[in-house]
Amino acid sequence: MEHLRILFLLTVLAVACHSLKACPANCHCHGGELQHVICYSAGLTKIPKVSEQTRLLNLQKNSFPVLAPNSFKEMKGLVSLHMQYCGIKEVAAGAFRGLKRLVYLYLSNNDISVISTGAFDELPELTYLYMDYNKIIEVPKGLLSALTNLFILQLNNNKVRELKVGTFAGAKDLRWLYLSNNELTTLQPGSLDEVENLAIFHLDGNQLSTYPLAAVSKLRVVEDFKISRNPIKVIPDYAFQSFGRYMESLSMEQMGIEKFSEKAFVGVTTLKNLNIEGNKLSQLPANIPFSTLQNLTLANNPWHCSCQLAALRRWIDGSRSRPDATCAGPAQYRGQQLRDTGAFRGCKQPVKKSKKGERL
């Protein structure tokens, strides 16, 4: 009898081992030990079982409305997990528990509205997290606290309304943050303090009505900053000072900006690309860093072609791009291209000074 029981157990174990080594139904697999398992649009409604040796699991275009706790705990070798277009609505705490080698997690193009604190616990190696094109309203405090190696976070095209203090706690190595096309009205002061090393920061297409100076003032090394398509009328003094030594690209088109304060560009010394198209600007502040600019987009603003814009005209005269910009005033120059108008003929050249302050 004991002999039969042992034989039965051995048979069960053999079947289990074989099932883990077999490619899941309707999927196809590559590499020894099922290293790459591709279940793209396979009609799955349950997470398939795969080998511990599996490195990549592609589950795109299946149906998994809820990612329950421990959904992947046996997949200890997984490095890349693709779950785009899976109809996911909820991600429970501990959903990815056990994936200690996971580097890439793709959750884009789902219906995620509920994402529990603890959803990303035990993911010490996660570096790339894609959650764009979902329905996320809030990023719970502590959600990212275990992701000490996170480098890229894509949260664009969601419904996030506010960034609170502690939102990014723990994600100290985050460098690329995409929050475009959300419903942000507020960035609380201190909400970005934990991610002061951001290099790419995209906030375009939100509902910010005032420039979030207090929130961004701790950022130090932003190179690419997009805040386009936010209804901000005035850009304040020192808007970019904290990261101005690094900023190379600034996008501020289609915002309805009426004015840059005179000290808005203080500290900006490396800017190469500036887009201010489609605003309500008639003038520019004196400290625009023309000496470093390579590309400047100006169209669809009501420019007042007086000597106050003479520095802009000199930059255009020396530029290969010759950007499009039309004078709205004074009346005699209305409709003329800023690059061609005679409005600046009587303007004086700036007087250069030597290091000792002597006129040259």
Side-chain angles (χ1 to χ4, degrees), residues 273-307:
N273 306 297
L274 175 60
N275 189 338
I276 49 175
E277 180 178 5
N279 285 294
K280 297 179 180 179
L281 293 163
S282 60
Q283 305 288 347
L284 288 174
N287 64 353
I288 289 268
F290 288 111
S291 62
T292 59
L293 278 179
Q294 296 175 5
N295 299 294
L296 178 56
T297 309
L298 301 161
N300 299 315
N301 280 284
W303 298 112
H304 186 77
C305 293
S306 66
C307 290

Side-chain angles (χ1 to χ4, degrees), residues 17-18 30 48 53 103 110 113 123 142 145 160 178 202 204 232 234 238 283 307 321 323:
C17 289
H18 175 75
H30 307 285
Q53 278 68 46
V103 175
N110 282 290
S113 59
L123 296 176
S145 59
V160 180
Y178 299 92
H202 290 184
D204 48 308
I232 300 173
V234 178
Y238 312 111
Q283 305 288 347
C307 290
S321 60

Side-chain angles (χ1 to χ4, degrees), residues 120-121 123-124 126 129 143-150 170-172:
F120 301 124
D121 284 0
L123 296 176
L126 193 68
L129 176 56
L143 178 68
L144 308 173
S145 59
L147 305 183
T148 54
N149 280 306
L150 191 64
K172 59 184 177 56

